[in-house]
Amino acid sequence: MPSLSPGSSASSSVWRDADFRRLWAGQTASQLGEHTTLVVLPLFAVLALDAGAGQLGALRAVGQVPILLISLLAGAWVDRWRARTVMVLTDAARAVALGAAAVAGLFGLLGLPALFVAAFTVGALSVLFDVAYQASLVRLVRRDQLLQGNSALEGSRSAAQIGGPALGGVLVSLLSAQVAAASGALFFAVSFMSLRRIRRAEAVPEHHERAPRVRHRIRDGLRFVAGHPLLRAVCLASAAFQFSFAATMTVYLLFLPRELHLSGATVGLALAATGPGALLGSVLAARLPGRYGHGVVLVSAAVLGNGALLWVPALHGSSAVTVAALLTVNFVFGAFGQLVNVTVVSVRQAVTPDGMQGRAAATITFVGMGSAPLGSLLGGFLAQGWGLRTSLLVTAAGMMLSPAVMAASPLVRLGRRLPL
């Protein structure tokens, strides 16, 4: 299957759609804002406020805990409302929240308490946005275009991973946290302006006078995912990955500046290497599953991508060789991680009815990423007790649980065609 670039003739039916282009542009700007913020807040805490391992773990956990609190509600709401409306409102609110953080910084009030508030607010709004944009694609394109559409959208996520971490690291290191927070607000504002121009009426379920209560809709979503063998496996594999990845990243963000003595800009550059890798992964996701089978691609890519991080604890010093090794590891992790992500999202969308898309996405987010706050806290706890190098090795090894779960599930038996 050819790659999905704007000039590709094979993908012209997707890129010819003006509303799809607006969704693509808005999602790109939104993800760039998210990735910039995810790096800016922890780096500012470590470099400017001298936050310890426990404080950094708590800060990351606060930004992730909204997944547990509102993701299921978000799924029920998105299945009842226009995804465009949800995305536009959350973009506006995130721009205001980060703008307020920038103003607080100007008055010298951007301490750890303010960072906790900003992290929680942006995290909660991002949960709503992410559930809505996953449901929006199904309402814009045909089912046989899902893999291509997801490849395009995940390519935009790759662009965010290229620019966001590098920009965040440079702004915090060379300028100020206020400027970095303001840049995140600007990206969300751009996303707002692009998404509000989507004109197509979405095929959302009709509102009835006696619509099921929210708790009943949430229950139906949980039952659907739990009762579907493929989606149940996706949940378990996602939970294993997100828990271990959150723990790994907490230690990783301490390991790079304190153990390897890298500057904020260099840390941002190293993290940004996942972006070009993810861009490659998005292209591969439009080709490899249809050639080798979705199951084989899922398991193999998860092993290669997650396994790459096991090399990081072996690095020492801040030499050019160390930086090059970090760039290589993050590139490989980004490429194969993105390949897994696009393939999993396409499988989920293909086996889920239109009226259940938001709740299915939210349920998988709740079960999968809901474990991330605990992982972040564990990473901080291990870093304090075991040291950074040992903790990084242990948490990175834990990421191999995800491909093990997929290999033991029906996912591994998926063939070249999606189960439509």
Side-chain angles (χ1 to χ4, degrees), residues 222-239:
L222 289 168
R223 284 181 175 176
F224 175 75
V225 172
H228 198 293
L230 292 176
L231 298 182
R232 187 169 61 244
V234 168
C235 272
L236 294 175
S238 178

PDB file of all heavy atoms in Angstrom, residues 222-239:
ATOM      1  N   LEU A 222     -17.939  -0.492  28.476  1.00  0.00           N
ATOM      2  CA  LEU A 222     -17.081  -1.442  29.183  1.00  0.00           C
ATOM      3  C   LEU A 222     -17.403  -2.877  28.800  1.00  0.00           C
ATOM      4  O   LEU A 222     -16.501  -3.695  28.563  1.00  0.00           O
ATOM      5  CB  LEU A 222     -17.234  -1.250  30.695  1.00  0.00           C
ATOM      6  CG  LEU A 222     -16.638   0.039  31.288  1.00  0.00           C
ATOM      7  CD1 LEU A 222     -17.113   0.227  32.724  1.00  0.00           C
ATOM      8  CD2 LEU A 222     -15.119   0.001  31.229  1.00  0.00           C
ATOM      9  N   ARG A 223     -18.698  -3.189  28.728  1.00  0.00           N
ATOM     10  CA  ARG A 223     -19.102  -4.553  28.374  1.00  0.00           C
ATOM     11  C   ARG A 223     -18.694  -4.897  26.948  1.00  0.00           C
ATOM     12  O   ARG A 223     -18.259  -6.029  26.682  1.00  0.00           O
ATOM     13  CB  ARG A 223     -20.614  -4.691  28.532  1.00  0.00           C
ATOM     14  CG  ARG A 223     -21.080  -4.802  29.988  1.00  0.00           C
ATOM     15  CD  ARG A 223     -22.592  -4.952  30.046  1.00  0.00           C
ATOM     16  NE  ARG A 223     -23.046  -5.186  31.417  1.00  0.00           N
ATOM     17  CZ  ARG A 223     -24.323  -5.282  31.766  1.00  0.00           C
ATOM     18  NH1 ARG A 223     -25.280  -5.152  30.842  1.00  0.00           N
ATOM     19  NH2 ARG A 223     -24.645  -5.496  33.026  1.00  0.00           N
ATOM     20  N   PHE A 224     -18.842  -3.935  26.045  1.00  0.00           N
ATOM     21  CA  PHE A 224     -18.479  -4.213  24.655  1.00  0.00           C
ATOM     22  C   PHE A 224     -16.997  -4.533  24.520  1.00  0.00           C
ATOM     23  O   PHE A 224     -16.613  -5.512  23.880  1.00  0.00           O
ATOM     24  CB  PHE A 224     -18.836  -3.013  23.768  1.00  0.00           C
ATOM     25  CG  PHE A 224     -18.384  -3.156  22.351  1.00  0.00           C
ATOM     26  CD1 PHE A 224     -19.051  -4.002  21.481  1.00  0.00           C
ATOM     27  CD2 PHE A 224     -17.266  -2.458  21.884  1.00  0.00           C
ATOM     28  CE1 PHE A 224     -18.618  -4.149  20.162  1.00  0.00           C
ATOM     29  CE2 PHE A 224     -16.832  -2.606  20.586  1.00  0.00           C
ATOM     30  CZ  PHE A 224     -17.511  -3.451  19.716  1.00  0.00           C
ATOM     31  N   VAL A 225     -16.159  -3.700  25.126  1.00  0.00           N
ATOM     32  CA  VAL A 225     -14.714  -3.922  25.019  1.00  0.00           C
ATOM     33  C   VAL A 225     -14.303  -5.202  25.749  1.00  0.00           C
ATOM     34  O   VAL A 225     -13.520  -6.005  25.224  1.00  0.00           O
ATOM     35  CB  VAL A 225     -13.944  -2.706  25.576  1.00  0.00           C
ATOM     36  CG1 VAL A 225     -12.443  -3.001  25.649  1.00  0.00           C
ATOM     37  CG2 VAL A 225     -14.198  -1.479  24.710  1.00  0.00           C
ATOM     38  N   ALA A 226     -14.838  -5.412  26.960  1.00  0.00           N
ATOM     39  CA  ALA A 226     -14.476  -6.606  27.724  1.00  0.00           C
ATOM     40  C   ALA A 226     -14.930  -7.879  27.035  1.00  0.00           C
ATOM     41  O   ALA A 226     -14.291  -8.939  27.155  1.00  0.00           O
ATOM     42  CB  ALA A 226     -15.080  -6.531  29.127  1.00  0.00           C
ATOM     43  N   GLY A 227     -16.038  -7.804  26.280  1.00  0.00           N
ATOM     44  CA  GLY A 227     -16.563  -8.993  25.623  1.00  0.00           C
ATOM     45  C   GLY A 227     -15.970  -9.277  24.264  1.00  0.00           C
ATOM     46  O   GLY A 227     -16.225 -10.336  23.682  1.00  0.00           O
ATOM     47  N   HIS A 228     -15.184  -8.356  23.731  1.00  0.00           N
ATOM     48  CA  HIS A 228     -14.581  -8.552  22.416  1.00  0.00           C
ATOM     49  C   HIS A 228     -13.135  -9.025  22.604  1.00  0.00           C
ATOM     50  O   HIS A 228     -12.318  -8.309  23.186  1.00  0.00           O
ATOM     51  CB  HIS A 228     -14.599  -7.241  21.622  1.00  0.00           C
ATOM     52  CG  HIS A 228     -14.402  -7.428  20.158  1.00  0.00           C
ATOM     53  ND1 HIS A 228     -13.218  -7.880  19.615  1.00  0.00           N
ATOM     54  CD2 HIS A 228     -15.248  -7.245  19.105  1.00  0.00           C
ATOM     55  CE1 HIS A 228     -13.323  -7.939  18.302  1.00  0.00           C
ATOM     56  NE2 HIS A 228     -14.550  -7.570  17.970  1.00  0.00           N
ATOM     57  N   PRO A 229     -12.784 -10.207  22.118  1.00  0.00           N
ATOM     58  CA  PRO A 229     -11.437 -10.756  22.397  1.00  0.00           C
ATOM     59  C   PRO A 229     -10.299  -9.876  21.885  1.00  0.00           C
ATOM     60  O   PRO A 229      -9.262  -9.764  22.542  1.00  0.00           O
ATOM     61  CB  PRO A 229     -11.449 -12.121  21.696  1.00  0.00           C
ATOM     62  CG  PRO A 229     -12.592 -12.058  20.729  1.00  0.00           C
ATOM     63  CD  PRO A 229     -13.602 -11.140  21.323  1.00  0.00           C
ATOM     64  N   LEU A 230     -10.482  -9.231  20.736  1.00  0.00           N
ATOM     65  CA  LEU A 230      -9.416  -8.386  20.209  1.00  0.00           C
ATOM     66  C   LEU A 230      -9.260  -7.114  21.041  1.00  0.00           C
ATOM     67  O   LEU A 230      -8.145  -6.716  21.388  1.00  0.00           O
ATOM     68  CB  LEU A 230      -9.699  -8.024  18.747  1.00  0.00           C
ATOM     69  CG  LEU A 230      -9.629  -9.175  17.746  1.00  0.00           C
ATOM     70  CD1 LEU A 230     -10.023  -8.686  16.358  1.00  0.00           C
ATOM     71  CD2 LEU A 230      -8.238  -9.791  17.706  1.00  0.00           C
ATOM     72  N   LEU A 231     -10.379  -6.472  21.357  1.00  0.00           N
ATOM     73  CA  LEU A 231     -10.308  -5.234  22.133  1.00  0.00           C
ATOM     74  C   LEU A 231      -9.859  -5.499  23.564  1.00  0.00           C
ATOM     75  O   LEU A 231      -9.154  -4.679  24.163  1.00  0.00           O
ATOM     76  CB  LEU A 231     -11.667  -4.533  22.121  1.00  0.00           C
ATOM     77  CG  LEU A 231     -12.167  -4.091  20.746  1.00  0.00           C
ATOM     78  CD1 LEU A 231     -13.493  -3.356  20.874  1.00  0.00           C
ATOM     79  CD2 LEU A 231     -11.135  -3.210  20.039  1.00  0.00           C
ATOM     80  N   ARG A 232     -10.254  -6.624  24.109  1.00  0.00           N
ATOM     81  CA  ARG A 232      -9.793  -6.987  25.460  1.00  0.00           C
ATOM     82  C   ARG A 232      -8.270  -7.154  25.475  1.00  0.00           C
ATOM     83  O   ARG A 232      -7.588  -6.700  26.410  1.00  0.00           O
ATOM     84  CB  ARG A 232     -10.479  -8.276  25.898  1.00  0.00           C
ATOM     85  CG  ARG A 232     -10.199  -8.655  27.359  1.00  0.00           C
ATOM     86  CD  ARG A 232     -11.116  -9.780  27.810  1.00  0.00           C
ATOM     87  NE  ARG A 232     -10.934 -11.001  27.032  1.00  0.00           N
ATOM     88  CZ  ARG A 232     -11.887 -11.537  26.257  1.00  0.00           C
ATOM     89  NH1 ARG A 232     -13.069 -10.956  26.156  1.00  0.00           N
ATOM     90  NH2 ARG A 232     -11.656 -12.650  25.582  1.00  0.00           N
ATOM     91  N   ALA A 233      -7.739  -7.773  24.448  1.00  0.00           N
ATOM     92  CA  ALA A 233      -6.279  -7.947  24.359  1.00  0.00           C
ATOM     93  C   ALA A 233      -5.580  -6.607  24.186  1.00  0.00           C
ATOM     94  O   ALA A 233      -4.508  -6.368  24.757  1.00  0.00           O
ATOM     95  CB  ALA A 233      -5.935  -8.882  23.199  1.00  0.00           C
ATOM     96  N   VAL A 234      -6.178  -5.713  23.385  1.00  0.00           N
ATOM     97  CA  VAL A 234      -5.608  -4.376  23.214  1.00  0.00           C
ATOM     98  C   VAL A 234      -5.537  -3.658  24.552  1.00  0.00           C
ATOM     99  O   VAL A 234      -4.541  -3.003  24.884  1.00  0.00           O
ATOM    100  CB  VAL A 234      -6.440  -3.563  22.201  1.00  0.00           C
ATOM    101  CG1 VAL A 234      -6.049  -2.089  22.243  1.00  0.00           C
ATOM    102  CG2 VAL A 234      -6.247  -4.112  20.788  1.00  0.00           C
ATOM    103  N   CYS A 235      -6.614  -3.771  25.357  1.00  0.00           N
ATOM    104  CA  CYS A 235      -6.634  -3.141  26.685  1.00  0.00           C
ATOM    105  C   CYS A 235      -5.495  -3.639  27.563  1.00  0.00           C
ATOM    106  O   CYS A 235      -4.779  -2.851  28.187  1.00  0.00           O
ATOM    107  CB  CYS A 235      -7.971  -3.428  27.377  1.00  0.00           C
ATOM    108  SG  CYS A 235      -9.252  -2.233  27.011  1.00  0.00           S
ATOM    109  N   LEU A 236      -5.331  -4.947  27.635  1.00  0.00           N
ATOM    110  CA  LEU A 236      -4.319  -5.522  28.517  1.00  0.00           C
ATOM    111  C   LEU A 236      -2.911  -5.157  28.055  1.00  0.00           C
ATOM    112  O   LEU A 236      -2.042  -4.805  28.871  1.00  0.00           O
ATOM    113  CB  LEU A 236      -4.486  -7.039  28.572  1.00  0.00           C
ATOM    114  CG  LEU A 236      -5.783  -7.544  29.216  1.00  0.00           C
ATOM    115  CD1 LEU A 236      -5.888  -9.064  29.095  1.00  0.00           C
ATOM    116  CD2 LEU A 236      -5.855  -7.114  30.672  1.00  0.00           C
ATOM    117  N   ALA A 237      -2.672  -5.233  26.745  1.00  0.00           N
ATOM    118  CA  ALA A 237      -1.348  -4.890  26.222  1.00  0.00           C
ATOM    119  C   ALA A 237      -1.056  -3.404  26.433  1.00  0.00           C
ATOM    120  O   ALA A 237       0.069  -3.022  26.783  1.00  0.00           O
ATOM    121  CB  ALA A 237      -1.262  -5.234  24.737  1.00  0.00           C
ATOM    122  N   SER A 238      -2.073  -2.567  26.239  1.00  0.00           N
ATOM    123  CA  SER A 238      -1.900  -1.129  26.448  1.00  0.00           C
ATOM    124  C   SER A 238      -1.598  -0.812  27.906  1.00  0.00           C
ATOM    125  O   SER A 238      -0.746   0.027  28.208  1.00  0.00           O
ATOM    126  CB  SER A 238      -3.155  -0.388  25.994  1.00  0.00           C
ATOM    127  OG  SER A 238      -3.045   0.997  26.232  1.00  0.00           O
ATOM    128  N   ALA A 239      -2.305  -1.482  28.827  1.00  0.00           N
ATOM    129  CA  ALA A 239      -2.067  -1.248  30.250  1.00  0.00           C
ATOM    130  C   ALA A 239      -0.639  -1.620  30.635  1.00  0.00           C
ATOM    131  O   ALA A 239       0.036  -0.891  31.371  1.00  0.00           O
ATOM    132  CB  ALA A 239      -3.062  -2.039  31.087  1.00  0.00           C
TER     133      ALA A 239
END
